[in-house]
Amino acid sequence: SPEAYAAAWRTLKDVDCVLVPGGFGDRGIKGMILAARYARVNKIPYFGICLGMQISVIEIARNVLGWEDANSTEFEDTTPHPVVIFMPEGSETHLGGTMRLGSRKTLLQSQDCLTAKLYHNSKHIDERHRHRYEVNPKVVSNLEECGLKFVGRDENGDRMEILELADHPFYVGVQFHPEFKSRPGKPSPLFLGFILAALGRLDQYLRSYQNGN
């Protein structure tokens, strides 16, 4: 439907920020990838949660690295460029209770990254997880060569937990679910940063905190 297609693009171009949340299955994935690319190219604040982080990896692999057929094995198990894969210790036949669940420690790789600043210079954070797929560690070096930085990893350094994109007002993807611990009176640091970036007030907030206010 050309009319619906045009209306969808008008809606996207009118937003102040883009959030791609968690989810399962391939419904809507092509649109999510297009939205992630639009946010990246046009410097629109982007926040990807769980699936949303994986979407950003697929998009950058396709459009920056030039791997046009890059995909998650959740959507295409025969893709020649599996940038997102099923967790090696998971079970593809017994799905009940086999997800990576609960609070897990994420080690921040640098105190200069945006996430560390939003978490008030913490060296590690504890956030809750709920996923079966993860970024393929074999392609991390390729992705980082094009500006994507995995600033948070698990305690073994093998699982990618947080990504950021350089030279962007707010481009963050997380494998965990910060909404699980976010509260009206105590929002998740990443949600707070995301909304502040959409309002154009993130830099002001970070400077204020650094000055002790």
Side-chain angles (χ1 to χ4, degrees):
S1 173
E3 294 81 7
Y5 179 85
W9 273 111
R10 285 196 299 271
T11 299
L12 180 63
K13 292 179 179 180
D14 195 41
V15 303
D16 297 310
C17 55
V18 174
L19 169 70
V20 178
F24 298 94
D26 61 358
R27 183 173 181 265
I29 293 300
K30 292 181 180 179
M32 295 178 197
I33 292 173
L34 288 171
R37 182 180 186 277
Y38 180 82
R40 176 178 61 81
V41 172
N42 293 280
K43 308 292 186 183
I44 306 297
Y46 176 89
F47 191 17
I49 298 175
C50 197
L51 173 64
M53 171 180 170
Q54 297 166 9
I55 289 293
S56 64
V57 167
I58 296 170
E59 188 279 313
I60 288 175
R62 289 182 180 183
N63 297 310
V64 180
L65 281 176
W67 298 346
E68 296 181 1
D69 47 12
N71 214 334
S72 167
T73 56
E74 180 180 8
F75 314 134
E76 184 185 355
D77 57 6
T78 59
T79 173
H81 287 106
V83 295
V84 177
I85 60 172
F86 194 84
M87 293 186 304
E89 73 275 25
S91 171
E92 295 190 63
T93 56
H94 299 84
L95 299 182
T98 60
M99 302 177 74
R100 186 167 179 253
L101 296 167
S103 182
R104 308 275 179 158
K105 182 174 289 186
T106 294
L107 303 182
L108 295 169
Q109 307 298 298
S110 168
Q111 293 300 292
D112 292 330
C113 68
L114 176 58
T115 302
K117 294 175 182 177
L118 287 171
Y119 277 91
H120 297 168
N121 300 317
S122 297
K123 293 184 178 179
H124 74 271
I125 59 176
D126 293 280
E127 294 284 1
R128 293 170 61 187
H129 293 67
R130 188 173 184 269
H131 66 106
R132 289 192 180 94
Y133 291 83
E134 64 183 8
V135 177
N136 186 348
K138 294 181 180 179
V139 301
V140 166
S141 59
N142 302 94
L143 292 164
E144 291 198 318
E145 286 175 1
C146 63
L148 199 63
K149 299 299 179 185
F150 291 95
V151 300
R153 304 189 181 201
D154 73 346
E155 292 179 282
N156 296 323
D158 298 325
R159 285 202 163 97
M160 304 303 114
E161 295 280 5
I162 308 170
L163 64 79
E164 294 182 5
L165 187 64
D167 301 321
H168 196 285
F170 189 101
Y171 193 99
V172 178
V174 296
Q175 188 57 71
F176 49 81
H177 287 264
E179 72 273 18
F180 288 170
K181 293 173 64 176
S182 194
R183 299 293 182 268
K186 189 179 180 181
S188 159
L190 289 170
F191 275 107
L192 177 61
F194 179 54
I195 297 302
L196 287 169
L199 295 170
R201 295 171 55 187
L202 179 57
D203 289 341
Q204 176 187 348
Y205 169 80
L206 293 176
R207 286 195 301 268
S208 177
Y209 176 77
Q210 290 168 352
N211 290 334
N213 298 324

